[in-house]
Amino acid sequence: MTRFWLGGYGPAMDGSAEGIGLLAGDEGREASTLAYRGAAVEVPSPSWLAQHPTLDIVYAALEGDSAVQAFVRAGEGVLAPLGAPAPVGQYVCHVAVAPNGSALIASCYGDGRVVRLGLDAEGRIVPAKADAAAALRAALFGDDADPDAPAPTPPGDGVAAVDPYGMGGDRVSHAHAAVFLPDGRVATTDLGFDLVRFWRQSGSGLVLDHEVVLPVGTGPRHMVLHPSGHLHVVTEYSCEVFTLARAADGTWSVVSVALTSPIAEVGTDFPAELARTRDGQFLYTALRGSNTIAALRVRGGGEALESVALADSGVDWPRHHLVHEGKMLVAGQRSDTITLIDLDERTGAPLGVRHEAQVPTPTHFLPVR
């Protein structure tokens, strides 16, 4: 086992976390002594964390503050701010960092914004710049834009999502996660509009390439890229995992769909994270509600899934889980606990809780580099 940075919810988000926490165990006995070691840095509600690919820098989604911020390692179990928080969208709930360390993508649940921010050579966040050409045109020729036209897209943002079903009512855009793809594009989910969106990166932000529309009311939440190249997407509302494949022309489409578990209850269970084993043989999702872990075996060339097991997570409201060194860590948002679960290497089944520890409102694990 190793040490982990912990994301969490603070008082403004109905939690008790003081900042980015540290989870660690005694050397040689980590599995049985894993415990919360205090806050590595005090910051409000860092609900999701991401690591720079080469530098000792962690990026946090400050969900309640609608901002993202960089933190640099400043000692053993200590982080320090690297620059001020960068404003993004409302209730930013996920950050993903480009494999080359050039940018990060912030997904914002509250207003649906998908924001690309550049990163400099030292890992600092570079705020998106306004369109200089557009500003010059407005200065020279005046602003004669249609007052009834939609508001312009903010610098760095991808174009706002539009409901493909045009249903209106309570349906609003909820961006939730992003994955960088091997070809340099970015995939994002919109839980509110049942979309998986694919973007090309540009100097000014994100350019929409195309979208995959999932069935109405499914609620795509999180994704994992499989070694086969398939993209697996877990849906919060329908308790399913959709598998997408890339065609020769670069477009993505759904090739299969599977239930997270045959006994998952729609409307009672709400899948959260989706994680895979290192070899890609198994996927795991956590069902908030029944508070269980569902295991799925990956079949064929990565395009098909089969439910193989369902087990107790040992926590209340399993917000996040991480497969690490043949075991699974589970964060219980409402129980203020984390659990360590053994996994059967052959069948993929969770084998039961080995260890439990008290942690203030945990929402995310990130291995310490």
Side-chain angles (χ1 to χ4, degrees):
M1 296 295 293
T2 185
R3 296 175 300 166
F4 302 88
W5 303 122
L6 284 169
Y9 277 151
M13 299 289 292
D14 298 324
S16 57
E18 297 176 342
I20 299 175
L22 178 66
L23 185 70
D26 299 335
E27 187 173 356
R29 300 189 303 125
E30 289 91 342
S32 60
T33 62
L34 206 59
Y36 181 67
R37 307 293 178 168
V41 62
E42 293 188 3
V43 63
S45 295
S47 62
W48 191 272
L49 309 173
Q51 177 74 54
H52 190 282
T54 59
L55 303 175
D56 217 349
I57 295 172
V58 172
Y59 302 92
L62 309 183
E63 189 164 341
D65 285 9
S66 301
V68 296
Q69 190 170 10
F71 299 89
V72 64
R73 184 84 165 268
E76 192 68 20
V78 179
L79 295 170
L82 183 66
V88 284
Q90 184 182 34
Y91 297 133
V92 54
C93 59
H94 189 278
V95 288
V97 180
N100 64 3
S102 64
L104 67 78
I105 304 295
S107 299
C108 307
Y109 179 86
D111 52 18
R113 289 175 61 188
V114 179
V115 184
R116 181 187 184 275
L117 295 172
L119 303 176
D120 69 15
E122 284 75 42
R124 292 181 176 84
I125 297 173
V126 180
K129 295 181 179 180
D131 187 334
L136 179 60
R137 285 194 299 271
L140 292 175
F141 305 111
D143 186 2
D144 56 356
D146 181 354
D148 296 324
T153 300
D157 281 29
V159 65
V162 175
D163 187 356
Y165 294 100
M167 296 176 65
D170 294 334
R171 281 175 63 88
V172 294
S173 175
H174 290 309
H176 214 293
V179 170
F180 282 87
L181 302 173
D183 63 6
R185 290 183 294 177
V186 179
T188 65
T189 53
D190 194 300
L191 187 149
F193 283 165
D194 303 309
L195 292 171
V196 182
R197 313 180 77 197
F198 295 87
W199 309 86
R200 289 177 283 109
Q201 299 184 73
S202 72
S204 59
L206 294 169
V207 177
L208 186 63
D209 190 276
H210 66 285
E211 297 175 328
V212 174
V213 180
L214 300 190
V216 64
T218 49
R221 180 181 171 95
H222 281 190
M223 303 170 284
V224 65
L225 187 64
H226 192 265
S228 65
H230 291 87
L231 186 66
H232 301 293
V233 184
V234 68
T235 57
E236 180 170 340
Y237 298 146
S238 65
C239 297
E240 296 172 296
V241 179
F242 285 78
T243 298
L244 280 61
R246 179 183 181 273
D249 65 358
T251 58
W252 290 76
S253 62
V254 175
V255 294
S256 72
V257 59
L259 290 172
T260 55
S261 168
I263 59 174
E265 295 187 35
V266 173
T268 298
D269 287 319
F270 300 93
E273 175 66 321
L274 186 65
R276 66 171 176 86
T277 53
R278 183 184 295 272
D279 61 7
Q281 187 176 0
F282 298 101
L283 299 181
Y284 299 93
T285 189
L287 305 181
R288 296 167 298 171
S290 61
N291 295 330
T292 51
I293 300 293
L296 301 102
R297 185 188 300 273
V298 181
R299 294 291 194 183
E303 75 282 0
L305 303 177
E306 172 193 16
S307 175
V308 294
L310 187 70
D312 184 16
S313 69
V315 304
D316 186 9
W317 211 248
R319 173 66 177 255
H320 185 249
H321 60 279
L322 175 73
V323 178
H324 185 79
E325 296 182 354
K327 299 175 177 58
M328 179 185 293
L329 283 164
V330 185
Q333 178 184 332
R334 294 181 178 174
S335 56
D336 285 353
T337 57
I338 62 95
T339 53
L340 180 67
I341 296 175
D342 288 318
L343 300 175
D344 188 303
E345 184 177 353
R346 182 179 62 85
T347 67
L351 297 176
V353 175
R354 171 189 281 211
H355 179 69
E356 180 180 358
Q358 293 292 316
V359 172
T361 321
T363 59
H364 190 248
F365 299 102
L366 181 69
V368 175
R369 187 191 296 278

